[in-house]
mmCIF file of all heavy atoms in Angstrom:
data_model
loop_
_atom_site.group_PDB
_atom_site.id
_atom_site.type_symbol
_atom_site.label_atom_id
_atom_site.label_comp_id
_atom_site.label_asym_id
_atom_site.label_seq_id
_atom_site.Cartn_x
_atom_site.Cartn_y
_atom_site.Cartn_z
ATOM 1 N N ASP Y 18 0.846 -1.190 0.010
ATOM 2 C CA ASP Y 18 0.003 0.013 0.003
ATOM 3 C C ASP Y 18 0.904 1.235 -0.010
ATOM 4 O O ASP Y 18 1.612 1.495 0.974
ATOM 5 C CB ASP Y 18 -0.897 -0.010 1.253
ATOM 6 C CG ASP Y 18 -2.000 1.037 1.165
ATOM 7 O OD1 ASP Y 18 -1.803 2.042 0.453
ATOM 8 O OD2 ASP Y 18 -3.038 0.846 1.827
ATOM 9 N N LEU Y 19 0.824 2.031 -1.082
ATOM 10 C CA LEU Y 19 1.687 3.201 -1.180
ATOM 11 C C LEU Y 19 1.384 4.219 -0.091
ATOM 12 O O LEU Y 19 2.281 4.963 0.325
ATOM 13 C CB LEU Y 19 1.504 3.841 -2.563
ATOM 14 C CG LEU Y 19 1.891 2.998 -3.761
ATOM 15 C CD1 LEU Y 19 1.681 3.769 -5.057
ATOM 16 C CD2 LEU Y 19 3.310 2.475 -3.683
ATOM 17 N N THR Y 20 0.140 4.271 0.370
ATOM 18 C CA THR Y 20 -0.205 5.281 1.406
ATOM 19 C C THR Y 20 0.413 4.923 2.743
ATOM 20 O O THR Y 20 0.448 5.743 3.663
ATOM 21 C CB THR Y 20 -1.718 5.380 1.557
ATOM 22 O OG1 THR Y 20 -2.277 4.134 2.056
ATOM 23 C CG2 THR Y 20 -2.389 5.731 0.245
ATOM 24 N N ASN Y 21 0.895 3.666 2.886
ATOM 25 C CA ASN Y 21 1.554 3.288 4.137
ATOM 26 C C ASN Y 21 2.992 3.787 4.226
ATOM 27 O O ASN Y 21 3.596 3.690 5.279
ATOM 28 C CB ASN Y 21 1.557 1.754 4.283
ATOM 29 C CG ASN Y 21 0.166 1.204 4.557
ATOM 30 O OD1 ASN Y 21 -0.730 1.942 4.918
ATOM 31 N ND2 ASN Y 21 0.025 -0.114 4.373
ATOM 32 N N MET Y 22 3.525 4.298 3.110
ATOM 33 C CA MET Y 22 4.919 4.645 3.035
ATOM 34 C C MET Y 22 5.176 6.095 3.417
ATOM 35 O O MET Y 22 4.258 6.918 3.454
ATOM 36 C CB MET Y 22 5.467 4.375 1.625
ATOM 37 C CG MET Y 22 5.299 2.943 1.157
ATOM 38 S SD MET Y 22 5.880 2.673 -0.532
ATOM 39 C CE MET Y 22 7.666 2.840 -0.279
ATOM 40 N N ASP Y 23 6.426 6.412 3.737
ATOM 41 C CA ASP Y 23 6.891 7.777 3.919
ATOM 42 C C ASP Y 23 8.113 7.955 3.022
ATOM 43 O O ASP Y 23 9.233 7.643 3.425
ATOM 44 C CB ASP Y 23 7.221 8.064 5.365
ATOM 45 C CG ASP Y 23 7.661 9.514 5.601
ATOM 46 O OD1 ASP Y 23 7.829 10.239 4.612
ATOM 47 O OD2 ASP Y 23 7.851 9.892 6.781
ATOM 48 N N LYS Y 24 7.897 8.426 1.811
ATOM 49 C CA LYS Y 24 8.971 8.512 0.821
ATOM 50 C C LYS Y 24 9.935 9.657 1.106
ATOM 51 O O LYS Y 24 10.915 9.826 0.365
ATOM 52 C CB LYS Y 24 8.381 8.642 -0.594
ATOM 53 C CG LYS Y 24 7.589 7.400 -0.999
ATOM 54 C CD LYS Y 24 7.067 7.547 -2.428
ATOM 55 C CE LYS Y 24 6.208 6.363 -2.818
ATOM 56 N NZ LYS Y 24 5.668 6.511 -4.215
ATOM 57 N N THR Y 25 9.659 10.456 2.138
ATOM 58 C CA THR Y 25 10.639 11.477 2.507
ATOM 59 C C THR Y 25 11.824 10.865 3.250
ATOM 60 O O THR Y 25 12.865 11.540 3.425
ATOM 61 C CB THR Y 25 10.002 12.555 3.422
ATOM 62 O OG1 THR Y 25 9.670 11.990 4.683
ATOM 63 C CG2 THR Y 25 8.754 13.165 2.760
ATOM 64 N N VAL Y 26 11.657 9.629 3.682
ATOM 65 C CA VAL Y 26 12.743 8.935 4.399
ATOM 66 C C VAL Y 26 13.623 8.196 3.440
ATOM 67 O O VAL Y 26 13.113 7.584 2.453
ATOM 68 C CB VAL Y 26 12.153 7.955 5.440
ATOM 69 C CG1 VAL Y 26 13.262 7.179 6.159
ATOM 70 C CG2 VAL Y 26 11.296 8.700 6.443
ATOM 71 N N ASP Y 27 14.919 8.221 3.615
ATOM 72 C CA ASP Y 27 15.877 7.502 2.786
ATOM 73 C C ASP Y 27 15.797 6.015 3.146
ATOM 74 O O ASP Y 27 16.042 5.634 4.295
ATOM 75 C CB ASP Y 27 17.270 8.016 3.003
ATOM 76 C CG ASP Y 27 18.312 7.396 2.071
ATOM 77 O OD1 ASP Y 27 18.029 6.322 1.496
ATOM 78 O OD2 ASP Y 27 19.394 7.972 1.934
ATOM 79 N N PRO Y 28 15.439 5.117 2.181
ATOM 80 C CA PRO Y 28 15.309 3.703 2.534
ATOM 81 C C PRO Y 28 16.627 3.092 3.021
ATOM 82 O O PRO Y 28 16.610 2.060 3.675
ATOM 83 C CB PRO Y 28 14.848 3.049 1.228
ATOM 84 C CG PRO Y 28 15.226 4.028 0.136
ATOM 85 C CD PRO Y 28 15.121 5.366 0.779
ATOM 86 N N CYS Y 29 17.752 3.692 2.655
ATOM 87 C CA CYS Y 29 19.048 3.201 3.118
ATOM 88 C C CYS Y 29 19.418 3.676 4.533
ATOM 89 O O CYS Y 29 20.394 3.195 5.097
ATOM 90 C CB CYS Y 29 20.144 3.574 2.116
ATOM 91 S SG CYS Y 29 19.929 2.864 0.474
ATOM 92 N N VAL Y 30 18.618 4.589 5.062
ATOM 93 C CA VAL Y 30 18.815 5.073 6.422
ATOM 94 C C VAL Y 30 17.869 4.396 7.387
ATOM 95 O O VAL Y 30 18.273 3.964 8.483
ATOM 96 C CB VAL Y 30 18.652 6.629 6.464
ATOM 97 C CG1 VAL Y 30 18.699 7.146 7.907
ATOM 98 C CG2 VAL Y 30 19.733 7.283 5.636
ATOM 99 N N ASP Y 31 16.586 4.286 7.031
ATOM 100 C CA ASP Y 31 15.586 3.659 7.892
ATOM 101 C C ASP Y 31 14.522 3.058 7.004
ATOM 102 O O ASP Y 31 13.527 3.706 6.671
ATOM 103 C CB ASP Y 31 14.997 4.680 8.866
ATOM 104 C CG ASP Y 31 14.094 4.073 9.919
ATOM 105 O OD1 ASP Y 31 13.639 2.914 9.702
ATOM 106 O OD2 ASP Y 31 13.849 4.694 10.940
ATOM 107 N N PHE Y 32 14.703 1.819 6.606
ATOM 108 C CA PHE Y 32 13.783 1.194 5.647
ATOM 109 C C PHE Y 32 12.424 0.972 6.304
ATOM 110 O O PHE Y 32 11.378 1.057 5.647
ATOM 111 C CB PHE Y 32 14.338 -0.108 5.133
ATOM 112 C CG PHE Y 32 13.496 -0.727 4.039
ATOM 113 C CD1 PHE Y 32 13.295 -0.070 2.854
ATOM 114 C CD2 PHE Y 32 12.865 -1.948 4.242
ATOM 115 C CE1 PHE Y 32 12.506 -0.607 1.826
ATOM 116 C CE2 PHE Y 32 12.078 -2.512 3.231
ATOM 117 C CZ PHE Y 32 11.903 -1.845 2.024
ATOM 118 N N TYR Y 33 12.393 0.729 7.589
ATOM 119 C CA TYR Y 33 11.133 0.525 8.283
ATOM 120 C C TYR Y 33 10.273 1.795 8.208
ATOM 121 O O TYR Y 33 9.097 1.768 7.842
ATOM 122 C CB TYR Y 33 11.370 0.164 9.751
ATOM 123 C CG TYR Y 33 10.095 -0.040 10.536
ATOM 124 C CD1 TYR Y 33 9.330 -1.176 10.374
ATOM 125 C CD2 TYR Y 33 9.649 0.942 11.407
ATOM 126 C CE1 TYR Y 33 8.138 -1.378 11.100
ATOM 127 C CE2 TYR Y 33 8.474 0.783 12.134
ATOM 128 C CZ TYR Y 33 7.739 -0.375 11.972
ATOM 129 O OH TYR Y 33 6.576 -0.528 12.668
ATOM 130 N N LYS Y 34 10.877 2.937 8.512
ATOM 131 C CA LYS Y 34 10.144 4.201 8.472
ATOM 132 C C LYS Y 34 9.735 4.539 7.029
ATOM 133 O O LYS Y 34 8.653 5.067 6.787
ATOM 134 C CB LYS Y 34 11.004 5.321 9.034
ATOM 135 C CG LYS Y 34 10.231 6.525 9.496
ATOM 136 C CD LYS Y 34 9.491 6.218 10.823
ATOM 137 C CE LYS Y 34 8.826 7.457 11.395
ATOM 138 N NZ LYS Y 34 8.067 7.134 12.616
ATOM 139 N N TYR Y 35 10.591 4.210 6.081
ATOM 140 C CA TYR Y 35 10.298 4.433 4.652
ATOM 141 C C TYR Y 35 9.066 3.639 4.268
ATOM 142 O O TYR Y 35 8.179 4.151 3.537
ATOM 143 C CB TYR Y 35 11.510 4.015 3.847
ATOM 144 C CG TYR Y 35 11.318 4.037 2.343
ATOM 145 C CD1 TYR Y 35 11.383 5.217 1.624
ATOM 146 C CD2 TYR Y 35 11.123 2.861 1.639
ATOM 147 C CE1 TYR Y 35 11.244 5.236 0.240
ATOM 148 C CE2 TYR Y 35 11.002 2.852 0.268
ATOM 149 C CZ TYR Y 35 11.047 4.036 -0.436
ATOM 150 O OH TYR Y 35 10.932 4.039 -1.806
ATOM 151 N N SER Y 36 8.962 2.405 4.708
ATOM 152 C CA SER Y 36 7.865 1.534 4.319
ATOM 153 C C SER Y 36 6.610 1.740 5.136
ATOM 154 O O SER Y 36 5.486 1.522 4.662
ATOM 155 C CB SER Y 36 8.297 0.049 4.442
ATOM 156 O OG SER Y 36 9.435 -0.226 3.621
ATOM 157 N N CYS Y 37 6.764 2.147 6.400
ATOM 158 C CA CYS Y 37 5.633 2.161 7.340
ATOM 159 C C CYS Y 37 5.297 3.516 7.939
ATOM 160 O O CYS Y 37 4.376 3.646 8.715
ATOM 161 C CB CYS Y 37 5.943 1.202 8.524
ATOM 162 S SG CYS Y 37 5.915 -0.535 8.057
ATOM 163 N N GLY Y 38 6.055 4.571 7.554
ATOM 164 C CA GLY Y 38 5.823 5.883 8.150
ATOM 165 C C GLY Y 38 4.418 6.397 7.936
ATOM 166 O O GLY Y 38 3.793 6.995 8.812
ATOM 167 N N GLY Y 39 3.876 6.176 6.746
ATOM 168 C CA GLY Y 39 2.493 6.611 6.466
ATOM 169 C C GLY Y 39 1.485 5.813 7.269
ATOM 170 O O GLY Y 39 0.488 6.383 7.761
ATOM 171 N N TRP Y 40 1.739 4.527 7.393
ATOM 172 C CA TRP Y 40 0.821 3.682 8.198
ATOM 173 C C TRP Y 40 0.798 4.168 9.630
ATOM 174 O O TRP Y 40 -0.276 4.283 10.260
ATOM 175 C CB TRP Y 40 1.254 2.231 8.124
ATOM 176 C CG TRP Y 40 0.247 1.258 8.675
ATOM 177 C CD1 TRP Y 40 -0.677 0.531 7.954
ATOM 178 C CD2 TRP Y 40 0.027 0.951 10.057
ATOM 179 N NE1 TRP Y 40 -1.456 -0.200 8.823
ATOM 180 C CE2 TRP Y 40 -1.049 0.009 10.096
ATOM 181 C CE3 TRP Y 40 0.588 1.346 11.244
ATOM 182 C CZ2 TRP Y 40 -1.537 -0.500 11.301
ATOM 183 C CZ3 TRP Y 40 0.119 0.824 12.462
ATOM 184 C CH2 TRP Y 40 -0.919 -0.094 12.468
ATOM 185 N N GLN Y 41 1.968 4.430 10.211
ATOM 186 C CA GLN Y 41 2.043 4.892 11.599
ATOM 187 C C GLN Y 41 1.280 6.190 11.776
ATOM 188 O O GLN Y 41 0.598 6.395 12.787
ATOM 189 C CB GLN Y 41 3.497 5.051 12.019
ATOM 190 C CG GLN Y 41 4.249 3.733 12.103
ATOM 191 C CD GLN Y 41 5.722 3.912 12.483
ATOM 192 O OE1 GLN Y 41 6.448 4.645 11.809
ATOM 193 N NE2 GLN Y 41 6.124 3.267 13.557
ATOM 194 N N LYS Y 42 1.404 7.108 10.802
ATOM 195 C CA LYS Y 42 0.722 8.404 10.905
ATOM 196 C C LYS Y 42 -0.786 8.208 10.790
ATOM 197 O O LYS Y 42 -1.550 8.897 11.492
ATOM 198 C CB LYS Y 42 1.220 9.337 9.803
ATOM 199 C CG LYS Y 42 0.581 10.689 9.782
ATOM 200 C CD LYS Y 42 1.080 11.537 8.637
ATOM 201 C CE LYS Y 42 0.397 12.887 8.585
ATOM 202 N NZ LYS Y 42 0.904 13.729 7.458
ATOM 203 N N ASN Y 43 -1.241 7.302 9.936
ATOM 204 C CA ASN Y 43 -2.653 7.165 9.637
ATOM 205 C C ASN Y 43 -3.386 6.161 10.533
ATOM 206 O O ASN Y 43 -4.609 5.991 10.418
ATOM 207 C CB ASN Y 43 -2.841 6.772 8.189
ATOM 208 C CG ASN Y 43 -2.330 7.822 7.222
ATOM 209 O OD1 ASN Y 43 -2.425 9.012 7.500
ATOM 210 N ND2 ASN Y 43 -1.773 7.381 6.091
ATOM 211 N N ASN Y 44 -2.652 5.508 11.402
ATOM 212 C CA ASN Y 44 -3.267 4.424 12.223
ATOM 213 C C ASN Y 44 -2.902 4.604 13.688
ATOM 214 O O ASN Y 44 -2.135 3.846 14.246
ATOM 215 C CB ASN Y 44 -2.825 3.062 11.738
ATOM 216 C CG ASN Y 44 -3.412 2.686 10.390
ATOM 217 O OD1 ASN Y 44 -4.527 2.162 10.324
ATOM 218 N ND2 ASN Y 44 -2.692 2.991 9.334
ATOM 219 N N PRO Y 45 -3.471 5.620 14.345
ATOM 220 C CA PRO Y 45 -3.225 5.785 15.786
ATOM 221 C C PRO Y 45 -3.774 4.577 16.565
ATOM 222 O O PRO Y 45 -4.652 3.865 16.085
ATOM 223 C CB PRO Y 45 -3.991 7.061 16.118
ATOM 224 C CG PRO Y 45 -5.050 7.174 15.065
ATOM 225 C CD PRO Y 45 -4.424 6.612 13.804
ATOM 226 N N ILE Y 46 -3.227 4.399 17.721
ATOM 227 C CA ILE Y 46 -3.633 3.232 18.550
ATOM 228 C C ILE Y 46 -5.056 3.421 19.026
ATOM 229 O O ILE Y 46 -5.384 4.412 19.688
ATOM 230 C CB ILE Y 46 -2.693 3.027 19.732
ATOM 231 C CG1 ILE Y 46 -1.248 2.962 19.296
ATOM 232 C CG2 ILE Y 46 -3.087 1.796 20.560
ATOM 233 C CD1 ILE Y 46 -0.239 2.991 20.439
ATOM 234 N N PRO Y 47 -5.974 2.508 18.740
ATOM 235 C CA PRO Y 47 -7.326 2.617 19.293
ATOM 236 C C PRO Y 47 -7.314 2.578 20.795
ATOM 237 O O PRO Y 47 -6.390 1.961 21.414
ATOM 238 C CB PRO Y 47 -8.035 1.365 18.684
ATOM 239 C CG PRO Y 47 -7.248 1.009 17.496
ATOM 240 C CD PRO Y 47 -5.826 1.333 17.843
ATOM 241 N N PRO Y 48 -8.293 3.177 21.431
ATOM 242 C CA PRO Y 48 -8.254 3.295 22.898
ATOM 243 C C PRO Y 48 -8.337 1.953 23.653
ATOM 244 O O PRO Y 48 -7.999 1.902 24.808
ATOM 245 C CB PRO Y 48 -9.446 4.185 23.244
ATOM 246 C CG PRO Y 48 -10.321 4.122 22.040
ATOM 247 C CD PRO Y 48 -9.427 3.901 20.867
ATOM 248 N N ASP Y 49 -8.779 0.888 22.962
ATOM 249 C CA ASP Y 49 -8.870 -0.397 23.677
ATOM 250 C C ASP Y 49 -7.719 -1.331 23.314
ATOM 251 O O ASP Y 49 -7.789 -2.534 23.585
ATOM 252 C CB ASP Y 49 -10.219 -1.076 23.368
ATOM 253 C CG ASP Y 49 -10.323 -1.513 21.907
ATOM 254 O OD1 ASP Y 49 -9.679 -0.887 21.044
ATOM 255 O OD2 ASP Y 49 -11.058 -2.492 21.604
ATOM 256 N N GLN Y 50 -6.654 -0.784 22.752
ATOM 257 C CA GLN Y 50 -5.519 -1.573 22.317
ATOM 258 C C GLN Y 50 -4.226 -1.088 22.959
ATOM 259 O O GLN Y 50 -4.067 0.113 23.192
ATOM 260 C CB GLN Y 50 -5.359 -1.523 20.796
ATOM 261 C CG GLN Y 50 -6.546 -1.976 19.994
ATOM 262 C CD GLN Y 50 -6.717 -3.494 20.005
ATOM 263 O OE1 GLN Y 50 -5.731 -4.256 20.128
ATOM 264 N NE2 GLN Y 50 -7.950 -3.959 19.887
ATOM 265 N N ALA Y 51 -3.308 -2.008 23.241
ATOM 266 C CA ALA Y 51 -1.994 -1.632 23.781
ATOM 267 C C ALA Y 51 -1.026 -1.363 22.638
ATOM 268 O O ALA Y 51 -0.154 -0.481 22.711
ATOM 269 C CB ALA Y 51 -1.434 -2.746 24.668
ATOM 270 N N THR Y 52 -1.157 -2.129 21.563
ATOM 271 C CA THR Y 52 -0.342 -2.001 20.350
ATOM 272 C C THR Y 52 -1.272 -2.133 19.176
ATOM 273 O O THR Y 52 -2.251 -2.871 19.206
ATOM 274 C CB THR Y 52 0.728 -3.102 20.307
ATOM 275 O OG1 THR Y 52 1.655 -2.923 21.375
ATOM 276 C CG2 THR Y 52 1.501 -3.053 19.005
ATOM 277 N N TRP Y 53 -0.998 -1.384 18.138
ATOM 278 C CA TRP Y 53 -1.820 -1.429 16.929
ATOM 279 C C TRP Y 53 -0.897 -1.661 15.753
ATOM 280 O O TRP Y 53 -0.002 -0.864 15.486
ATOM 281 C CB TRP Y 53 -2.600 -0.147 16.770
ATOM 282 C CG TRP Y 53 -3.701 -0.154 15.756
ATOM 283 C CD1 TRP Y 53 -3.850 0.660 14.676
ATOM 284 C CD2 TRP Y 53 -4.829 -1.032 15.715
ATOM 285 N NE1 TRP Y 53 -4.998 0.373 13.978
ATOM 286 C CE2 TRP Y 53 -5.645 -0.690 14.600
ATOM 287 C CE3 TRP Y 53 -5.258 -2.107 16.527
ATOM 288 C CZ2 TRP Y 53 -6.814 -1.332 14.275
ATOM 289 C CZ3 TRP Y 53 -6.449 -2.773 16.188
ATOM 290 C CH2 TRP Y 53 -7.205 -2.375 15.094
ATOM 291 N N ASP Y 54 -1.075 -2.785 15.072
ATOM 292 C CA ASP Y 54 -0.223 -3.115 13.946
ATOM 293 C C ASP Y 54 -1.056 -3.751 12.863
ATOM 294 O O ASP Y 54 -2.273 -3.939 13.003
ATOM 295 C CB ASP Y 54 0.945 -4.009 14.386
ATOM 296 C CG ASP Y 54 0.504 -5.266 15.142
ATOM 297 O OD1 ASP Y 54 -0.568 -5.817 14.793
ATOM 298 O OD2 ASP Y 54 1.209 -5.688 16.035
ATOM 299 N N VAL Y 55 -0.410 -4.136 11.782
ATOM 300 C CA VAL Y 55 -1.122 -4.711 10.654
ATOM 301 C C VAL Y 55 -1.824 -6.008 11.055
ATOM 302 O O VAL Y 55 -2.975 -6.251 10.677
ATOM 303 C CB VAL Y 55 -0.149 -4.950 9.473
ATOM 304 C CG1 VAL Y 55 -0.813 -5.769 8.366
ATOM 305 C CG2 VAL Y 55 0.340 -3.601 8.897
ATOM 306 N N TYR Y 56 -1.142 -6.824 11.825
ATOM 307 C CA TYR Y 56 -1.740 -8.075 12.291
ATOM 308 C C TYR Y 56 -2.936 -7.819 13.209
ATOM 309 O O TYR Y 56 -3.994 -8.458 13.104
ATOM 310 C CB TYR Y 56 -0.703 -8.918 13.004
ATOM 311 C CG TYR Y 56 0.082 -9.860 12.104
ATOM 312 C CD1 TYR Y 56 0.818 -9.363 11.029
ATOM 313 C CD2 TYR Y 56 0.053 -11.221 12.300
ATOM 314 C CE1 TYR Y 56 1.511 -10.218 10.199
ATOM 315 C CE2 TYR Y 56 0.758 -12.110 11.463
ATOM 316 C CZ TYR Y 56 1.473 -11.571 10.421
ATOM 317 O OH TYR Y 56 2.173 -12.421 9.584
ATOM 318 N N ALA Y 57 -2.770 -6.876 14.146
ATOM 319 C CA ALA Y 57 -3.879 -6.565 15.069
ATOM 320 C C ALA Y 57 -5.048 -5.977 14.315
ATOM 321 O O ALA Y 57 -6.213 -6.278 14.655
ATOM 322 C CB ALA Y 57 -3.391 -5.598 16.140
ATOM 323 N N LYS Y 58 -4.800 -5.160 13.322
ATOM 324 C CA LYS Y 58 -5.882 -4.581 12.547
ATOM 325 C C LYS Y 58 -6.665 -5.669 11.786
ATOM 326 O O LYS Y 58 -7.901 -5.633 11.756
ATOM 327 C CB LYS Y 58 -5.314 -3.535 11.581
ATOM 328 C CG LYS Y 58 -6.370 -2.670 10.892
ATOM 329 C CD LYS Y 58 -5.717 -1.581 10.063
ATOM 330 C CE LYS Y 58 -6.772 -0.686 9.427
ATOM 331 N NZ LYS Y 58 -6.187 0.395 8.618
ATOM 332 N N LEU Y 59 -5.930 -6.604 11.203
ATOM 333 C CA LEU Y 59 -6.617 -7.689 10.502
ATOM 334 C C LEU Y 59 -7.378 -8.575 11.530
ATOM 335 O O LEU Y 59 -8.508 -9.010 11.244
ATOM 336 C CB LEU Y 59 -5.621 -8.546 9.739
ATOM 337 C CG LEU Y 59 -6.174 -9.790 9.024
ATOM 338 C CD1 LEU Y 59 -7.287 -9.410 8.069
ATOM 339 C CD2 LEU Y 59 -5.070 -10.513 8.289
ATOM 340 N N ALA Y 60 -6.767 -8.821 12.693
ATOM 341 C CA ALA Y 60 -7.468 -9.586 13.719
ATOM 342 C C ALA Y 60 -8.758 -8.885 14.131
ATOM 343 O O ALA Y 60 -9.802 -9.531 14.355
ATOM 344 C CB ALA Y 60 -6.563 -9.776 14.935
ATOM 345 N N ASN Y 61 -8.723 -7.558 14.246
ATOM 346 C CA ASN Y 61 -9.909 -6.803 14.579
ATOM 347 C C ASN Y 61 -10.986 -6.936 13.503
ATOM 348 O O ASN Y 61 -12.179 -7.086 13.809
ATOM 349 C CB ASN Y 61 -9.540 -5.334 14.776
ATOM 350 C CG ASN Y 61 -10.696 -4.527 15.346
ATOM 351 O OD1 ASN Y 61 -11.029 -4.634 16.521
ATOM 352 N ND2 ASN Y 61 -11.296 -3.682 14.507
ATOM 353 N N GLU Y 62 -10.577 -6.915 12.237
ATOM 354 C CA GLU Y 62 -11.532 -7.089 11.152
ATOM 355 C C GLU Y 62 -12.114 -8.516 11.180
ATOM 356 O O GLU Y 62 -13.321 -8.707 10.960
ATOM 357 C CB GLU Y 62 -10.851 -6.829 9.818
ATOM 358 C CG GLU Y 62 -10.485 -5.384 9.609
ATOM 359 C CD GLU Y 62 -9.562 -5.146 8.460
ATOM 360 O OE1 GLU Y 62 -9.046 -6.142 7.873
ATOM 361 O OE2 GLU Y 62 -9.323 -3.975 8.112
ATOM 362 N N ASN Y 63 -11.277 -9.519 11.492
ATOM 363 C CA ASN Y 63 -11.776 -10.884 11.658
ATOM 364 C C ASN Y 63 -12.841 -10.940 12.752
ATOM 365 O O ASN Y 63 -13.861 -11.619 12.625
ATOM 366 C CB ASN Y 63 -10.628 -11.843 11.964
ATOM 367 C CG ASN Y 63 -9.783 -12.159 10.764
ATOM 368 O OD1 ASN Y 63 -10.062 -11.703 9.659
ATOM 369 N ND2 ASN Y 63 -8.727 -12.943 10.956
#
């Protein structure tokens, strides 16, 4: 998902932030969760 990325980050400096920076910005932790990630979001949809 291109919207999950943060292309302002150099992938050779922080590939995680490059790939996931947009996701982190757009997916704040829900109030009933301790951690919110791709797996948890899919589990919630399930």
Side-chain angles (χ1 to χ4, degrees):
D18 191 335
L19 299 181
T20 65
N21 289 345
M22 303 178 69
D23 182 352
K24 295 182 183 179
T25 67
V26 177
D27 185 341
C29 297
V30 173
D31 188 341
F32 186 62
Y33 178 77
K34 201 73 173 177
Y35 174 80
S36 300
C37 290
W40 192 97
Q41 292 178 305
K42 179 181 178 181
N43 297 326
N44 290 273
I46 305 170
D49 68 333
Q50 301 285 331
T52 294
W53 192 237
D54 54 35
V55 170
Y56 270 60
K58 190 174 182 180
L59 177 57
N61 188 72
E62 292 168 351
N63 284 358

